[in-house]
């Protein structure tokens, strides 16, 4: 895997989080024999996030599933609780998933027969530039910034609307050039040459959207909660609401002892830390778990935008995860789509085909999301009431298929017919006008 010029691999994964682990899992499951370098200055092994998704009751990552619920509860603004059942709602904690993938990809013990699958090298390195094999390295500081004819595009900024993390300027050089058959990654640990590169580092959309919100949240992992584990609460709208957007409580009781209690907001900007804590205190009081022990805290921000994310950015260079559009704009759900895309990419690599990730969601679903985001952001609809009715007025398979991007046009027509028509018409007109001006 190492040559005189650095490390040579079939596949380089830039960013070693959830999207990279989904692709590694798919490669191992399909027995694809490729050499892989995972490049990330951070070692992803702990519980840095919790993923949830719907499925038919079994998942390709079933050994990593911590808990399943067959009943989901929605609590409306009036405090009335309604149930979605039967469903299969799965929870995966990142530490369990990372462990499962690393075990699958671990080299065989000495003397043991090698299992089919990827040969993985974990490299704690930051990527400074990605360029075709025959392109010159980008000019350094004081050398003019870039050479004539080169394109240097940011490739690793932070959250939408925020600058890149300090010390991590990254460029994609010569992205419009010819296909040279390989890619060089300049890292702080030396050069890596790869046939294919999959980049999952967070970045803003390649084409800005007409609406951009953030799904931001703080959650408490509690012990001694004593909640009924038979049902999870998907949305509880009795929590404090922001001036614009919406907020809800999210409650996942793993068992009688352990639970995640979370306060989630859809809005344009984050709250002060004290505001999350005050809302969580109120929610915990209402649930009767104020005396439970807080074992850990989860904080996060997920972009919600109708902007477009490129899946292929240069010959042999692709994007995965949120950076490649895997996050559903109107809900923030990502994990099931990452798994779905990873299986296709693995199959294409095995077949020697172009491994471009498939489209994450049908175009019409992205249009629905763009209109819904606009309606919520502009206050054209009552967000808590809209979500409560969407989730409880339809059979679970219909609404969950709609949220997952797998519904039929007939089901979509039934769902859309039950939305607040005046507000959604205004949102549609505004979105069409804004799109026409771009």
């Amino acid at each position: 895997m190492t040559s005189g010029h650095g490390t040579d691999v079939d596949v380089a994964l830039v960013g070693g989080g959830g999207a990279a682990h989904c692709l590694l899992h798919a490669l191992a499951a399909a027995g694809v024999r490729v050499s892989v370098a995972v490049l990330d200055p951070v070692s992803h092994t702990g519980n840095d996030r919790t993923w949830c998704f719907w499925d038919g009751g079994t998942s390709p990552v079933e050994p990593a599933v911590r808990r399943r619920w067959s009943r989901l509860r929605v609590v409306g603004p009036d405090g009335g609780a309604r149930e979605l059942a039967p469903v299969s709602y799965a929870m995966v904690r990142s530490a369990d998933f990372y462990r499962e993938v690393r075990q699958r990809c671990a080299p065989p013990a000495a003397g043991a027969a090698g299992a089919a699958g990827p040969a993985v090298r974990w490299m704690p390195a930051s990527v400074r530039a990605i360029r075709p094999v025959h392109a010159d390295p980008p000019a350094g500081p004081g050398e003019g910034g870039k050479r004539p004819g080169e394109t240097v595009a940011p490739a690793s900024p932070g959250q939408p609307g925020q600058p890149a993390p300090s010390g991590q300027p990254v460029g994609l050089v010569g992205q419009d050039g010819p296909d040279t058959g390989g890619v060089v990654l300049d890292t702080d640990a030396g050069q890596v040459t790869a046939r294919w590169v999959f980049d999952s580092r967070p970045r803003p959309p390649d084409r800005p959207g007409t609406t951009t919100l953030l799904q931001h949240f703080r959650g408490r992992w509690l012990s001694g909660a004593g909640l009924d584990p038979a049902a999870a609460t998907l949305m509880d709208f009795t929590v404090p609401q922001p001036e614009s957007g919406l907020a809800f409580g999210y409650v996942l009781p793993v068992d009688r002892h352990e639970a995640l209690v979370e306060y989630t907001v859809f809005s344009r900007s984050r709250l002060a830390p004290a505001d999350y804590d005050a809302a969580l205190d109120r929610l915990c009081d209402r649930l009767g778990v104020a005396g439970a022990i807080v074992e850990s805290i989860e904080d996060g921000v997920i972009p919600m935008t109708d902007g477009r994310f490129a899946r292929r950015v240069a010959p042999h260079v692709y994007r995965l995860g949120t950076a490649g559009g895997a996050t559903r704009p109107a809900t923030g759900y990502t994990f099931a789509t990452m798994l779905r895309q990873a299986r296709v990419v693995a199959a294409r690599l095995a077949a020697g085909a172009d491994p471009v990730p498939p489209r994450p969601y049908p175009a019409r679903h992205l249009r629905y999301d763009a209109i819904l985001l606009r309606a919520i952001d502009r206050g054209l609809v009552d967000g808590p009431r809209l979500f409560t009715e969407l989730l409880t007025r339809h059979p679970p398979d219909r609404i969950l298929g709609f949220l997952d991007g797998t519904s039929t046009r007939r089901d979509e027509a039934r769902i859309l017919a039950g939305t607040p028509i005046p507000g959604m018409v205004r949102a549609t007109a505004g979105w069409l006008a804004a799109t026409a001006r771009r």
Side-chain angles (χ1 to χ4, degrees), residues 342-357:
R343 289 195 295 271
V344 174
V345 170
R348 289 174 176 174
L349 284 169
D354 181 3
V356 60

Side-chain angles (χ1 to χ4, degrees), residues 65 72-73 89-90 95 132 152 190 193 208 219 230 232 257 281 298 325 353 373 383 402:
V65 172
L72 291 175
R73 183 182 297 116
Y89 192 64
V152 181
T193 303
H257 181 72
D281 287 343
E298 278 194 13
L373 287 176
F402 180 74

